[in-house]
Amino acid sequence: MDLAKLFKAGLLKFLGKSVDIGGAALLGGAWPIVKPALEPVIELLQRRLGQRLTTANEHIEAALAEFERDQHLQQVFLGALQRGLLPVLDQLRATRGELDEGLWHLATLVGRFRGEVDEHLEQLGRRLEQGVSVTGFSPEALAQLAEEVARQARATEKMYVVASQDAARFSIGRIVRHAYRMQTRALVAMQRGQVEAALDELEAGRLLVATLLREAPADLPLRLLMGFLLKSSAQALAQGGDHAGAESALDAALEVFEVIEHDVPPDHKSANDLAVALHGLGNVLLERGNPQAALERLRAAAAIAPTNPYIWHDIYVAQLDSDHPDVDEMARALDRVRANATGAEDLTPDYLASLQQRLDGLR
């Protein structure tokens, strides 16, 4: 039995759409198990697709395509089916009750059965294909069936407990800080000319943040972090000679920052969110060779977040790239960088000394 077919039949019924004969046969008496198993998957799909699922054909097609493409969603569904099926099988075994067509299909899906159970299921399958109603299931075979499902459910539950324990230690905030450290290591690698190492760090960071964004696409700090990872990726790609890739990454970063600056309502973003977005836009404009427009955004960001050393650093760089650098503003910016650089791994004393030498050379 195909998990995607069961999901499609269940989704149609969940949304109140008509289900064909084949889909109805897949569900049968299994609907009380399938329905609650669908709910977490539908919730994830709605967050990922950015819309509430309706009976519109395009919504259903998009949900089905995402489910078939994403193995994680399939495992969420399968794990919920396991947990729901086990008590039903235990009850049937205790009461010697009937295993109807829908439950038979579900049981064959949840486990990869072996031995005598497999033979019983094959016999039942042939009878069902011939249109013969299944009125019972031998106590011995049902006991084996329940044990096999229980074994798989226990394995799933153990993994869930392990993952939950790790998740309790690793909060979203901690994961985000780890991604920021990846970006910082990438910047240090770029300063040393280690482009491949920088790209490896940035790819890992983007994959981590993209995974979180799939579950919470409206999370502003995550979106901002993705914007900076894209911007840094553009810098690394350009440094490595891949200018087409760099432009593509800059386009994506620009879209992230512009949406947050212009389209996210003020009551949905903090002052810090706005400062980070303005800083990101300044970075992209600077990479695009527009230091004056970059300075406008960076000054606005510095006014909101005056203790952020990276904003002041980029004001210094934007002035350095200008046709007529303002050395006084560069000096003030460098002073602010020094005052707030504690703990900034890539703003080393040697690097700051090199910035001072560049400034002295302009005076």
Side-chain angles (χ1 to χ4, degrees):
M1 175 183 168
D2 190 333
L3 184 67
K5 290 180 180 178
L6 177 65
F7 178 77
K8 178 179 180 180
L11 180 64
L12 291 174
K13 184 167 183 176
F14 189 93
L15 296 174
K17 296 273 283 185
S18 61
V19 182
D20 61 23
I21 294 175
L26 289 177
L27 295 173
W31 178 240
I33 299 170
V34 174
K35 183 176 182 293
L38 282 168
E39 291 171 353
V41 181
I42 289 174
E43 183 179 347
L44 286 171
L45 281 168
Q46 289 181 148
R47 290 210 300 267
R48 291 185 185 181
L49 298 174
Q51 60 189 7
R52 185 173 181 80
L53 291 182
T54 70
T55 55
N57 288 336
E58 59 269 23
H59 284 192
I60 294 171
E61 290 171 4
L64 293 175
E66 181 70 7
F67 181 81
E68 290 184 15
R69 187 190 63 79
D70 192 318
Q71 188 176 11
H72 173 68
L73 287 175
Q74 297 168 21
Q75 293 303 315
V76 171
F77 187 41
L78 188 58
L81 291 174
Q82 286 177 346
R83 292 189 293 274
L85 180 60
L86 183 58
V88 174
L89 290 179
D90 282 341
Q91 183 179 10
L92 288 175
R93 181 174 58 176
T95 61
R96 298 196 176 190
E98 297 180 0
L99 186 70
D100 85 340
E101 185 174 356
L103 287 174
W104 174 82
H105 281 303
L106 187 57
T108 60
L109 172 68
V110 166
R112 295 292 182 264
F113 306 112
R114 301 177 297 276
E116 182 184 350
V117 175
D118 197 39
E119 293 174 7
H120 279 282
L121 291 173
E122 286 183 5
Q123 293 172 9
L124 284 170
R126 287 193 294 271
R127 291 174 63 190
L128 288 167
E129 289 169 1
Q130 296 165 2
V132 178
S133 175
V134 179
T135 57
F137 202 67
S138 74
E140 295 79 11
L142 188 56
Q144 291 182 38
L145 179 62
E147 179 55 35
E148 178 63 19
V149 173
R151 184 187 67 78
Q152 296 198 29
R154 284 194 297 270
T156 301
E157 193 63 27
K158 286 178 182 177
M159 192 65 252
Y160 176 78
V161 170
V162 171
S164 297
Q165 290 170 344
D166 271 352
R169 292 191 298 114
F170 299 112
S171 65
I172 294 296
R174 189 171 175 182
I175 294 172
V176 169
R177 289 194 295 274
H178 184 60
Y180 269 115
R181 285 197 294 272
M182 290 177 177
Q183 185 191 24
T184 299
R185 289 196 296 268
L187 295 174
V188 171
M190 280 189 277
Q191 290 175 8
R192 296 171 178 170
Q194 300 167 344
V195 175
E196 289 301 321
L199 288 171
D200 285 345
E201 291 284 359
L202 292 165
E203 182 180 15
R206 285 168 61 181
L207 286 171
L208 179 60
V209 175
T211 300
L212 296 174
L213 278 172
R214 292 186 69 183
E215 309 304 328
D219 189 305
L220 278 186
L222 286 177
R223 290 161 68 181
L224 289 164
L225 176 53
M226 177 60 85
F228 273 97
L229 289 167
L230 287 164
K231 182 272 302 180
S232 297
S233 296
Q235 292 174 317
L237 289 165
Q239 187 174 338
D242 183 357
H243 298 291
E247 282 299 308
S248 178
L250 276 181
D251 286 340
L254 183 64
E255 183 176 1
V256 170
F257 294 130
E258 285 185 335
V259 165
I260 294 172
E261 181 190 24
H262 299 299
D263 297 340
V264 176
D267 57 340
H268 288 187
K269 59 190 173 190
S270 67
N272 184 66
D273 292 333
L274 180 58
V276 175
L278 289 168
H279 182 201
L281 275 171
N283 271 247
V284 174
L285 291 166
L286 191 54
E287 288 294 319
R288 284 271 163 83
N290 194 343
Q292 292 308 311
L295 281 167
E296 291 179 13
R297 303 304 202 291
L298 293 169
R299 288 166 182 151
I304 299 171
T307 60
N308 185 324
Y310 294 103
I311 297 176
W312 293 107
H313 169 271
D314 293 340
I315 289 175
Y316 174 101
V317 174
Q319 282 292 355
L320 188 63
D321 286 355
S322 299
D323 293 334
H324 304 286
D326 182 339
V327 293
D328 290 334
E329 184 170 35
M330 290 177 69
R332 288 193 300 273
L334 188 52
D335 286 342
R336 293 295 187 93
V337 174
R338 288 197 186 96
N340 296 285
T342 302
E345 183 180 344
D346 51 332
L347 299 176
T348 63
D350 287 345
Y351 177 65
L352 296 181
S354 72
L355 297 184
Q356 183 66 56
Q357 289 177 357
R358 297 285 296 275
L359 176 60
D360 293 341
L362 292 174
R363 284 176 167 159

